[in-house]
Amino acid sequence: MSASRHRAVAAMIGMAVAVGSLATASVSAAHPGEGDHADSSSFEKIPLVTEGLSDPFELDVADDGRVVYIERTGAVKVLEQDTLRQTTALDFGYSLDLLTQSDGLLGLTLDNDFAENGWLYLLWSDPDVAKMNLSRFTMGPDNTIDPASEERLLDYTIWRGEGRANSHMGGSLAMGPDGNLHVATGDNADPFDQSGYTPIDEREGRRAWDAQGTSANTDDLRGKVLRIHPEDDGTYTVPEGNLFAPGTEGARPEIYGMGFRNPFRITVDPETSAVLVGDYGPDARVANPLRGPEGMVELIRMTEPGNHGWPYCHANNQAYIDYDFATGESGEAFDCANPVNESPNNTGLRELPPSQLPLVWYGYGESPEFPELASGGAAPMAGPVYRYDAENPVKTKFPESYDGHWFVSEYARNFYKVLSIDEATGDLLSIDPFLPEESFVSPFEAEFGPDGSLYIMDFGSGRGAGRGSTNTDAGIYRVDYVADGRRPISSFTPDVESGSAPLTVSFDGEASHSPDGLDITYAWDFENDGVVDSTEVSPVHTYEERGQFSARLTVTDSDGLTGVAVQKITAGNTRPEVSFDTPADGGFAELGDTVPYSVDVVDAEDGSTAAGTIDCSRVTVNTQLGHDTHAHPLDNYTGCSGSVFLDPADHGVGQNVYGVLGAGYQDLGTEGVPELTGQDRIRLQVKDKEAEFFSEASGVTVADDSSARGGRLVSDVDDGDWIAFEPVDLTGITGLTLGVVPGAAGATVEVRTGSPTGPKIGQVKVGAAAAAGQVVSPSIDIEGQSGTTTLYLVVSDRGQSGSTEQAQGADDALALDWLVFHGRGVADATAPVVQAEASRTGGPDNLSVELSGSAVAPEDREITSYLWDLGDGTTSEGQEVTHEYSAPGRYTARLIATDSEGTRDWATVELVVADSGR
């Protein structure tokens, strides 16, 4: 965004924000709010666009109020706020093949003099060559862009098609007050094959898994924040003060900041020119002394150029271990003060600048340094710095109390926060909530406009890659300060939004209102042509002609303030109905499995899949990697039926990852009427999951525990307590193993569906703990029926099973660590076929058991690893192992075989260890 153009506001927001000064940021255990900000009730969130958004990515606001935004799928769009009329200015028209992972149209900012020259800058994927292009385009007075107006500033190579390297692309653009253009680029390294730690794989042919060749490479533009000065002739110069002086051998002068993993959004303070970046981190839930720290993310404020450490150091300069991927051996920790890049993929300097400290860092749990950020998924979105302008006449501008404050959001935790910073020292003073009662769905982007209002973008869920596909619950909104009077809210619903012509639509405007209790009047423009067609609250209108129309309702209060809402109505074509026949929502499949699918389509004009009249080449299916509350785009497929491969996409132990499938069909449309798209989206469940990733619970707590498999477990589980998982469909599931830390008394764990008192499909008794911290793994045969439901684990019969003598140090309540479901679920048979056996299946405590097994790989694959999960909290690599079970209890030993495509399956042996003292 143009910082000088928005002197009183902030520059463009980002998904991450960075600090680059060599000075150490001061840190305290908490940063209590200032308490002088306006109450949430003094702000109003105004919807501008709430339908038809396909991967909305970045926005900027022109001086005349036009909102210019981009969609990753290739479109540049212009929204006129007074009428909510939209124009597609340019569309790169990317193919489904290119839109896998994170390629596409990624970055947008307007020139500081956009009002005079119409210039805007775009960062976009080249469809023909594996590279990213940074270009200037010119927008005409009709809100369109002639592709011939392009002036190419620079480009850089990417590892498209090599693993999942294009998952981290960055892409944000920001203009500074001095006319400098800032470009954020991702490390372009595959993040899914390092167990959640750092990608430093130096083996031959693995350059796309080595961020030392990108982020830590001074001769490469990836994993950086670039700073250049665009010139009028379409070239650029390098401003003074970047990290490397022009002419430095082995270093690019465009680099302002380096050592970033995925600086998804950046912004520039329009007054101080500080560059704010939020950098994403890897996904390890727990630290590993042989690999490095747990995954952390950063918010950074750069006042000087610098190196931010990746892939050697992250967070508050926690060092990773120099791990050898060829031998599996761990070396020394990297030196954050004197990093050295010795990778064969490095083409730049060997000795690098010291790693800088961020302003804020945090992981998945509650941060001891920044508890105001709570816990959950870690996905920082850096927003703008607000600058108050007393001469701005707009009464809805943000108040002066926010001057100089930095607005950030959390994509995974769905909140906004406001950071106060001492600009003289760079110290963080406070972290305040912003609109804590408001609902956000994956907040993605924010900008202050020249009017002093905050413009925000919700990415929503799902993805827009596909014929006409759009994101669910995505939206663009304006947040106004309304302490001096609120605008009326315009809101309406039609009883139908598409159908054959003539189309009669009943509109209901009852939801429109004045938050201040003023009287409002209604003005309906059914075709958005500037003519008022009705002043009723809930009129009926018949669209006699075929076409697509924008119905607009303007409401005006007695103070003369207005609110506008728009919705598309299509006469002459009916939106198709799309649904997955298979797999079922909540079906079970591991990452690495192959899952058959079938999509049903019913369209009033085109027919149906059942009748065989649907053109299946127009049906698209996509896979996504679900991660906590969001999902990463993976692959695209076409066809009414087929099979999809769920990429193994390793995020490390203890990660909440799962498969997501989306389906869409864009119909044929009719003459004079555009095509319409129907969509469906389902979530699959992995069979091997952490107990703490429940969807809802009663009576339990989630506690950090370094001995737990993922570093956390569900504790304090007493009689009547339960945890639940949804959606769940038990098709193809035959059994369940529980990883349990027993309590001082025995208990029964019941498996129920529908509700905590619903049908019981299995149960297992857990004896009292024989020792503090003991882990047992009893298995249950379950008889589930097909159909999406909620699965409950309910604890009952406290004290009714096992010894009543408390093991020294054992808690009163049991704890649940993990769950493993057995059976292929909704996946096909393309997986290792595993056999396992034990030399004995029972005996007294201190039982020694010889465990062995084998596996047959699918055709054209080979078995690459064997791992025994011994069911007592320990594991062992290899096909054979001798293990001693020291404490009585029920255990399930599981042999896991993984093939060369990352697909895995397992076989189990159940063991009963008796108490020799009884």
Side-chain angles (χ1 to χ4, degrees):
M1 157 183 242
S2 313
S4 66
R5 177 167 53 84
H6 293 178
R7 296 179 183 88
V9 291
M12 116 183 278
I13 165 178
M15 181 168 187
V17 180
V19 195
S21 171
L22 292 177
T24 299
S26 298
V27 175
S28 61
H31 305 83
E34 297 178 327
D36 61 347
H37 292 311
D39 184 81
S40 296
S41 61
S42 298
F43 295 91
E44 188 171 29
K45 180 183 171 187
I46 310 295
L48 300 177
V49 183
T50 57
E51 62 176 351
L53 291 168
S54 300
D55 286 7
F57 236 64
E58 201 159 34
L59 64 82
D60 205 345
V61 186
D63 288 348
D64 58 10
R66 285 177 295 167
V67 178
V68 184
Y69 68 93
I70 59 172
E71 296 172 320
R72 185 179 72 91
T73 50
V76 181
K77 295 188 176 182
V78 182
L79 170 73
E80 299 174 36
Q81 290 196 63
D82 54 348
T83 63
L84 300 187
R85 185 177 290 110
Q86 295 192 65
T87 303
T88 298
L90 178 68
D91 194 341
F92 288 97
Y94 288 124
S95 67
L96 286 175
D97 290 340
L98 186 135
L99 290 172
T100 59
Q101 301 175 60
S102 297
D103 259 311
L105 177 54
L106 304 184
L108 158 78
T109 191
L110 303 183
D111 189 82
N112 286 350
D113 297 318
F114 176 78
E116 290 76 38
N117 57 32
W119 292 346
L120 69 162
Y121 301 91
L122 301 176
L123 185 66
W124 54 287
S125 297
D126 193 297
D128 302 314
V129 181
K131 65 178 182 177
M132 296 297 298
N133 299 320
L134 177 65
S135 302
R136 187 188 78 196
F137 289 88
T138 301
M139 182 177 293
D142 60 351
N143 290 338
T144 63
I145 297 171
D146 183 351
S149 69
E150 181 196 3
E151 296 287 351
R152 184 77 53 87
L153 276 73
L154 61 78
D155 56 44
Y156 55 90
T157 298
I158 54 176
W159 301 147
R160 181 185 299 156
E162 299 185 38
R164 297 289 182 183
N166 278 19
S167 295
H168 289 168
M169 301 293 286
S172 183
L173 303 181
M175 291 292 290
D178 45 12
N180 289 332
L181 175 61
H182 301 73
V183 185
T185 67
D187 69 357
N188 198 210
D190 187 313
F192 299 133
D193 204 15
Q194 305 87 30
S195 300
Y197 297 98
T198 190
I200 51 172
D201 190 342
E202 299 177 359
R203 290 175 292 178
E204 185 177 354
R206 302 281 289 180
R207 66 179 185 178
W209 287 261
D210 184 12
Q212 297 174 106
T214 58
S215 293
N217 186 349
T218 61
D219 196 33
D220 193 281
L221 297 183
R222 290 167 292 180
K224 309 295 193 299
V225 171
L226 313 178
R227 188 177 68 160
I228 62 175
H229 192 279
E231 302 298 334
D232 290 351
D233 62 359
T235 63
Y236 70 89
T237 55
V238 175
E240 294 184 0
N242 279 358
L243 188 57
F244 304 106
T248 302
E249 185 177 357
R252 293 291 296 265
E254 297 92 344
I255 298 171
Y256 184 72
M258 64 177 291
F260 296 106
R261 183 173 183 262
N262 194 25
F264 199 73
R265 290 287 178 271
I266 59 174
T267 188
V268 179
D269 187 328
E271 184 168 304
T272 67
S273 293
V275 180
L276 303 160
V277 186
D279 198 18
Y280 276 52
D283 297 307
R285 291 269 177 172
V286 293
N288 183 336
L290 299 178
R291 301 296 295 276
E294 66 172 302
M296 301 281 234
V297 298
E298 303 176 357
L299 293 170
I300 309 166
R301 180 174 180 268
M302 297 180 70
T303 57
E304 296 179 7
N307 175 21
H308 294 270
W310 183 257
Y312 303 122
C313 305
H314 220 222
N316 54 332
N317 275 347
Q318 296 184 39
Y320 284 98
I321 303 299
D322 189 1
Y323 178 79
D324 189 324
F325 281 80
T327 65
E329 296 179 356
S330 297
E332 300 296 320
F334 290 108
D335 185 351
C336 299
N338 301 282
V340 176
N341 187 348
E342 297 180 308
S343 169
N345 296 308
N346 178 36
T347 60
L349 301 177
R350 179 178 177 273
E351 297 179 0
L352 305 179
S355 177
Q356 305 300 300
L357 285 176
L359 183 70
V360 174
W361 63 91
Y362 60 95
Y364 290 94
E366 182 174 297
S367 165
E369 296 88 359
F370 311 100
E372 300 87 354
L373 300 177
S375 62
M381 307 293 285
V385 175
Y386 178 63
R387 291 299 175 180
Y388 179 77
D389 182 1
E391 297 181 359
N392 182 351
V394 181
K395 70 176 183 178
T396 54
K397 67 178 180 288
F398 273 44
E400 189 173 8
S401 63
Y402 284 105
D403 182 61
H405 288 61
W406 179 20
F407 286 71
V408 302
S409 65
E410 236 295 343
Y411 175 75
R413 302 181 189 182
N414 293 313
F415 64 59
Y416 276 85
K417 301 287 185 181
V418 180
L419 277 58
S420 175
I421 300 168
D422 185 325
E423 295 180 357
T425 64
D427 292 346
L428 176 64
L429 302 178
S430 66
I431 301 177
D432 285 283
F434 181 67
L435 302 183
E437 295 86 14
E438 189 58 73
S439 174
F440 303 101
V441 184
S442 302
F444 203 70
E445 157 78 319
E447 295 284 357
F448 276 104
D451 52 1
S453 290
L454 181 66
Y455 292 78
I456 62 176
M457 175 184 284
D458 279 2
F459 189 79
S461 59
R463 57 185 295 200
R467 292 181 180 272
S469 297
T470 58
N471 299 52
T472 303
D473 296 324
I476 297 174
Y477 305 87
R478 186 186 68 243
V479 179
D480 291 341
Y481 178 61
V482 292
D484 296 330
R486 296 172 177 267
R487 295 177 181 271
I489 303 298
S490 176
S491 178
F492 70 92
T493 55
D495 62 340
V496 294
E497 53 88 28
S498 67
S500 58
L503 180 67
T504 299
V505 182
S506 296
F507 294 95
D508 183 357
E510 288 283 356
S512 299
H513 65 284
S514 164
D516 294 334
L518 302 179
D519 292 335
I520 60 173
T521 58
Y522 297 75
W524 293 89
D525 179 354
F526 297 124
E527 299 180 7
N528 206 359
D529 57 4
V531 177
V532 175
D533 300 305
S534 175
T535 58
E536 298 177 19
V537 176
S538 299
V540 176
H541 180 72
T542 298
Y543 291 88
E544 301 287 352
E545 303 295 328
R546 298 160 56 85
Q548 189 171 74
F549 308 91
S550 294
R552 176 162 57 102
L553 171 61
T554 303
V555 293
T556 305
D557 65 22
S558 54
D559 284 347
L561 295 177
T562 61
V564 181
V566 170
Q567 186 164 335
K568 291 181 180 179
I569 304 294
T570 304
N573 190 17
T574 308
R575 188 175 301 280
E577 298 177 8
V578 177
S579 62
F580 277 100
D581 181 41
T582 58
D585 191 22
F588 283 84
E590 282 290 280
L591 300 181
D593 278 343
T594 299
V595 178
Y597 74 85
S598 177
V599 176
D600 289 335
V601 177
V602 177
D603 185 89
E605 291 79 23
D606 299 353
S608 67
T609 47
T613 58
I614 295 297
D615 179 358
C616 288
S617 68
R618 301 180 69 84
V619 174
T620 61
V621 172
N622 62 71
T623 59
Q624 303 164 54
L625 175 66
H627 183 202
D628 295 323
T629 59
H630 61 279
H632 304 280
L634 292 176
D635 296 316
N636 297 314
Y637 301 79
T638 58
C640 297
S641 61
S643 295
V644 299
F645 180 69
L646 303 179
D647 194 290
D650 177 25
H651 269 53
V653 174
Q655 282 297 317
N656 185 20
V657 292
Y658 47 89
V660 176
L661 302 186
Y665 169 71
Q666 186 179 61
D667 67 18
L668 299 174
T670 57
E671 184 177 354
V673 185
E675 302 94 339
L676 294 177
T677 300
Q679 299 179 158
D680 192 20
R681 184 172 185 259
I682 61 172
R683 169 180 172 166
L684 302 179
Q685 297 283 357
V686 293
K687 296 186 296 180
D688 191 344
K689 63 194 305 114
E690 300 297 315
E692 62 267 23
F693 297 142
F694 54 76
S695 53
E696 57 179 328
S698 175
V700 306
T701 59
V702 176
D704 293 333
D705 188 324
S706 59
S707 64
R709 188 175 72 169
R712 307 173 81 199
L713 46 69
V714 179
S715 63
D716 299 325
V717 189
D718 285 301
D719 185 34
D721 295 344
W722 52 264
I723 61 175
F725 299 87
E726 65 174 347
V728 165
D729 184 287
L730 294 170
T731 298
I733 295 298
T734 59
L736 169 64
T737 299
L738 301 176
V740 182
V741 180
T748 298
V749 180
E750 301 173 343
V751 184
R752 297 180 178 270
T753 58
S755 77
T757 58
K760 183 167 61 175
I761 62 173
Q763 69 176 35
V764 66
K765 291 185 177 181
V766 180
Q774 177 192 11
V775 177
V776 296
S777 50
S779 289
I780 313 168
D781 292 330
I782 56 177
E783 299 179 358
Q785 297 181 348
S786 298
T788 301
T789 185
T790 302
L791 188 74
Y792 290 82
L793 301 183
V794 184
V795 170
S796 64
D797 296 335
R798 295 295 303 161
Q800 299 303 307
S801 173
S803 171
T804 58
E805 296 182 9
Q806 180 172 351
Q808 184 174 2
D811 291 332
D812 291 336
L814 63 78
L816 297 171
D817 191 353
W818 45 263
L819 301 80
V820 173
F821 292 84
H822 304 295
R824 291 299 297 158
V826 297
D828 70 9
T830 310
V833 178
V834 189
Q835 293 182 327
E837 58 184 12
S839 60
R840 56 197 302 193
T841 58
D845 49 8
N846 298 313
L847 175 71
S848 180
V849 181
E850 295 177 1
L851 298 164
S852 61
S854 61
V856 177
E859 187 177 357
D860 297 326
R861 301 186 189 182
E862 60 183 18
I863 301 299
T864 57
S865 71
Y866 289 93
L867 177 71
W868 276 99
D869 180 344
L870 298 164
D872 61 353
T874 63
T875 61
S876 180
E877 295 182 356
Q879 289 182 251
E880 299 178 359
V881 62
T882 298
H883 185 66
E884 182 176 291
Y885 292 88
S886 59
R890 293 179 58 184
Y891 301 91
T892 302
R894 180 170 58 124
L895 176 60
I896 306 168
T898 303
D899 68 23
S900 50
E901 291 298 318
T903 303
R904 64 180 197 154
D905 208 343
W906 49 79
T908 61
V909 177
E910 294 186 45
L911 307 163
V912 179
V913 180
D915 187 346
S916 60
R918 296 185 63 190

